[in-house]
Amino acid sequence: MRIGVPLEIRSGETRVAATPETVKKLIGQGHQVVIQKDAGVRASQPDSAYEAVGATIGSAADVLGAEIVLKVRAPENTELAQIQSGSVLIGMLDPFDNQNIEAMAAQGITAFSLEAAPRTTRAQSMDVLSSQANIAGYKAVMIAANEYQRFMPMLMTAAGTVKAARVLILGAGVAGLQAIATAKRLGAVIEASDVRPAAKEQIESLGAKFVDVPYETDEEREISQGVGGYARPMPEAWMKRQAALVAEKAQQADIVITTALIPGRKPPVLLHSETVMQMKPGSVVIDLAAGRGDNGSGNCPLTQADKIVENNGVKIVGYTNLASMVAADASALYARNLLDFMKLIVDKEAKLAIPSDDDIVTACLMCRDGQAVRKN
Ligand code: NAD
């Protein structure tokens, strides 16, 4: 089949949906691959690297007109208009955005959104949320270290001792756990919390202290289990107790990294404005939920999307696309996720063969031949 890989045009998006490594494999499987000119440049992959493995370089119309289009982000209207009816689009297509799904259906295409893949062992190699959240968790600590005007590790020098930074991590899923591991390598002292009880053991196994907000009712205990590995919104009483404990811990912290998300909903507010006002001057907040809350906020109401704002001497970083700041590795992992997913919908003769009984394919399918399949 003819596979097209466009240059991503969303503001701030630097990733690319295929790398020379994955293109080589696709060509080996019998496909033809056309890459838009400069599609990989911001991810350190020049056109020549794709040509060297057998791809051709083309225009936006060439790649968007292919039978299978591999993208990072959901297409803008101008891009969608160029995707041919009957072709297949695969990417991170915002599965909770019904308007977006309707628009793709109206174009007559079949679209797969990989964020919707189940969190099962078989789907792990296609799990784009994990591959990209892992990178975001790492980069969050790198940015925090950069913005923080003190050392991360404890140091004993001839001029005296420097204390280790205290890092508080709220939300210990894929991004939060990677943030713990990265901050630990830098020598910080870490505390972390999550609503899911399974997170305690994972937090402690990485050498951090678990911040426990005990459940007081059966309802709280039941909701905390989540669904499909994801969190559900906790009752207000639990959120209040969590906020009080977070306020206490945040006052002692030098760096707070928030990563809490609930699929299809606004992120929970974990770091209240009053708490930020009580934090030490010079502390840094990295809000990985930035841009998903009201008015571009995240887990903190003071966060502003894609900005660093300062409140009472506390810096709040609201970058919304940290994976794009590690574009080469983020693209390498993402491209492998797509390559593995492709194996499920293309047969050995390199022809499209979309199964109707595969749980991963069914979960990711947003629209088929112009019919919206998923409704949120
Ligand atoms: P996510 O990005 O949806 O959310 C990030 C974290 O925020 C989660 O751990 C969530 O529990 C937490 N959170 C939500 N509300 C909170 C609150 N009020 N207070 C504190 N924390 C809150 O989640 P994710 O990182 O994508 O991972 C979700 C789960 O799925 C994790 O347990 C992860 O280990 C698991 N997972 C399993 C597989 C697999 O089995 N193949 C793959 C990936 C992830």
Side-chain angles (χ1 to χ4, degrees):
M1 300 195 74
R2 194 171 157 80
I3 299 173
V5 181
L7 168 75
E8 296 293 325
I9 60 171
R10 286 242 181 152
S11 167
E13 186 52 71
T14 58
R15 292 167 289 181
V16 62
T19 57
E21 176 198 281
T22 61
V23 168
K24 189 175 176 192
K25 289 190 175 145
L26 290 168
I27 291 172
Q29 289 163 12
H31 301 287
Q32 294 168 280
V33 181
V34 54
I35 307 279
Q36 187 173 344
K37 188 173 171 352
D38 291 338
V41 166
R42 289 167 303 179
S44 312
Q45 299 293 359
D47 292 346
S48 56
Y50 291 100
E51 286 177 304
V53 294
T56 53
I57 305 299
S59 65
D62 291 333
V63 297
L64 291 165
E67 290 164 290
I68 296 182
V69 179
L70 300 182
K71 271 192 64 45
V72 178
R73 305 290 288 275
E76 305 271 337
N77 289 342
T78 51
E79 295 176 295
L80 190 56
Q82 296 180 74
I83 302 179
Q84 305 297 305
S85 169
S87 55
V88 171
L89 171 66
I90 309 172
M92 292 192 282
L93 307 179
D94 299 334
F96 289 102
D97 181 346
N98 281 332
Q99 221 180 331
N100 171 44
I101 296 170
E102 293 294 344
M104 293 189 294
Q107 190 66 16
I109 64 175
T110 296
F112 294 99
S113 190
L114 265 55
E115 305 103 303
R119 300 325 264 284
T120 56
T121 307
R122 192 171 74 95
Q124 260 177 338
S125 64
M126 306 154 216
D127 188 338
V128 293
L129 289 182
S130 290
S131 74
Q132 304 304 296
N134 199 10
I135 291 173
Y138 160 82
K139 192 65 181 178
V141 176
M142 295 294 114
I143 294 171
N146 206 31
E147 294 298 330
Y148 182 52
Q149 296 303 309
R150 297 174 191 270
F151 275 103
M152 290 287 257
M154 194 267 273
L155 287 184
M156 293 170 84
T157 79
T161 301
V162 174
K163 277 195 203 156
R166 296 181 73 96
V167 178
L168 174 64
I169 296 180
L170 304 175
V174 179
L177 291 174
Q178 180 56 258
I180 296 175
T182 306
K184 189 81 192 165
R185 283 181 212 120
L186 290 177
V189 174
I190 307 152
E191 291 189 296
S193 95
D194 200 290
V195 54
R196 293 173 300 106
K200 178 180 190 291
E201 197 189 324
Q202 294 163 346
I203 289 168
E204 289 174 347
S205 73
L206 289 168
K209 194 171 163 221
F210 180 59
V211 177
D212 194 9
V213 185
Y215 313 119
E216 289 184 355
T217 63
D218 288 346
E219 187 203 10
E220 288 179 0
R221 193 168 290 105
E222 200 253 308
I223 295 177
S224 74
Q225 304 291 332
V227 266
Y230 290 112
R232 287 165 62 196
M234 286 299 281
E236 211 178 308
W238 188 89
M239 291 298 289
K240 271 197 179 145
R241 298 202 302 282
Q242 183 192 40
L245 194 56
V246 166
E248 192 187 299
K249 299 288 181 189
Q251 281 174 48
Q252 297 154 10
D254 301 299
I255 293 168
V256 179
I257 298 176
T258 69
T259 78
L261 294 177
I262 296 171
R265 290 179 176 257
K266 287 193 177 147
V269 173
L270 301 188
L271 193 66
H272 290 268
S273 308
E274 308 79 66
T275 304
V276 173
M277 293 307 172
Q278 289 161 3
M279 286 173 65
K280 291 184 274 185
S283 354
V284 176
V285 176
I286 312 283
D287 189 341
L288 289 191
R292 298 170 187 249
D294 291 329
N295 304 316
S297 66
N299 292 137
C300 175
L302 297 173
T303 300
Q304 290 183 30
D306 291 315
K307 287 193 181 143
I308 300 183
V309 292
E310 207 164 317
N311 283 276
N312 222 17
V314 178
K315 279 187 197 171
I316 306 174
V317 179
Y319 295 151
T320 56
N321 189 350
L322 269 71
S324 253
M325 295 175 165
V326 193
D329 273 339
S331 301
L333 299 179
Y334 179 72
R336 287 184 204 146
N337 292 147
L338 292 195
L339 183 73
D340 263 25
F341 180 78
M342 291 266 299
K343 288 180 194 152
L344 302 181
I345 58 162
V346 172
D347 66 17
K348 291 211 167 60
E349 278 73 49
K351 296 244 161 48
L352 201 61
I354 300 173
S356 54
D357 58 352
D358 185 298
D359 65 326
I360 302 173
V361 173
T362 316
C364 294
L365 187 63
M366 298 292 114
C367 53
R368 184 161 193 177
D369 297 326
Q371 295 295 316
V373 172
R374 184 179 170 121
K375 283 264 181 252
N376 295 303

